[in-house]
Amino acid sequence: MSVQLQVSQVIDRPVDKVFHFLAHDHVRNHPRWDPDMELEQISEGPIGVGTMIRRRYSHSGTPVEGTMEVVEFEPNRVMGTLIHDGPVETRGRMTFEAVSDDQTRITINVELPGMDESMDKSFLISAIKRSTENMKRLIESET
């Protein structure tokens, strides 16, 4: 039993700029596109496979502590994570595709093991869409 969600957004910037903002600078920028999130890198070195990040998510009113591990990292192509928020496990994957020299399509895939298709996913989908719109606005205004 698992639910998968997918949202895409085209950003008017080259793929290397988008990847740098969203992946290399993930810990710094994620709270900017999702202000209910606090992140702190707890492993050494630049972000890549094996990077561990402490998370604190407070959207529901009660903060949830967790971790994020980078499990896939291919520059300018993909960043995948395994997230543990309390007892809940989530798999996230963001892909980067050059639409043109100055446009990038990001696609965010979220897999929620333990959820089934009968559960209401509208909140999650709207939250991901809001985040991708914020990403677009920030990247296009700052890079």
Side-chain angles (χ1 to χ4, degrees):
M1 156 170 80
S2 176
V3 169
Q4 295 195 17
L5 308 172
Q6 181 174 314
V7 175
S8 290
Q9 176 75 51
V10 173
I11 299 173
D12 294 329
R13 291 295 179 267
V15 70
D16 62 324
K17 301 281 188 205
V18 175
F19 188 84
H20 188 83
F21 189 95
L22 296 177
H24 284 288
D25 287 341
H26 190 83
V27 172
R28 181 174 73 88
N29 289 325
H30 190 140
R32 297 176 64 213
W33 70 72
D34 181 359
D36 296 320
M37 182 68 64
E38 296 174 35
L39 299 179
E40 175 190 2
Q41 185 170 331
I42 55 177
S43 61
E44 296 294 321
I47 288 193
V49 172
T51 297
M52 292 298 297
I53 298 165
R54 183 177 297 120
R55 312 170 22 107
R56 185 170 195 233
Y57 187 68
S58 60
H59 180 74
S60 61
T62 303
V64 176
E65 305 279 337
T67 60
M68 172 189 296
E69 178 183 1
V70 177
V71 295
E72 187 179 11
F73 194 88
E74 191 176 332
N76 299 335
R77 296 195 24 98
V78 67
M79 179 177 170
T81 58
L82 177 60
I83 298 164
H84 289 99
D85 285 333
V88 178
E89 179 179 287
T90 305
R91 294 184 178 276
R93 189 169 195 262
M94 188 179 317
T95 59
F96 301 79
E97 174 190 358
V99 176
S100 69
D101 288 345
D102 294 322
Q103 285 190 316
T104 303
R105 175 180 295 109
I106 59 167
T107 302
I108 297 174
N109 292 286
V110 178
E111 180 185 352
L112 302 152
M115 247 183 121
D116 66 46
E117 288 298 327
S118 69
M119 300 173 118
D120 182 17
K121 299 170 284 300
S122 59
F123 166 77
L124 293 169
I125 292 169
S126 67
I128 295 168
K129 285 182 179 179
R130 184 175 47 254
S131 288
T132 59
E133 290 166 3
N134 288 341
M135 291 171 189
K136 178 178 175 68
R137 180 182 49 77
L138 287 166
I139 293 168
E140 290 179 359
S141 68
E142 295 181 11
T143 61

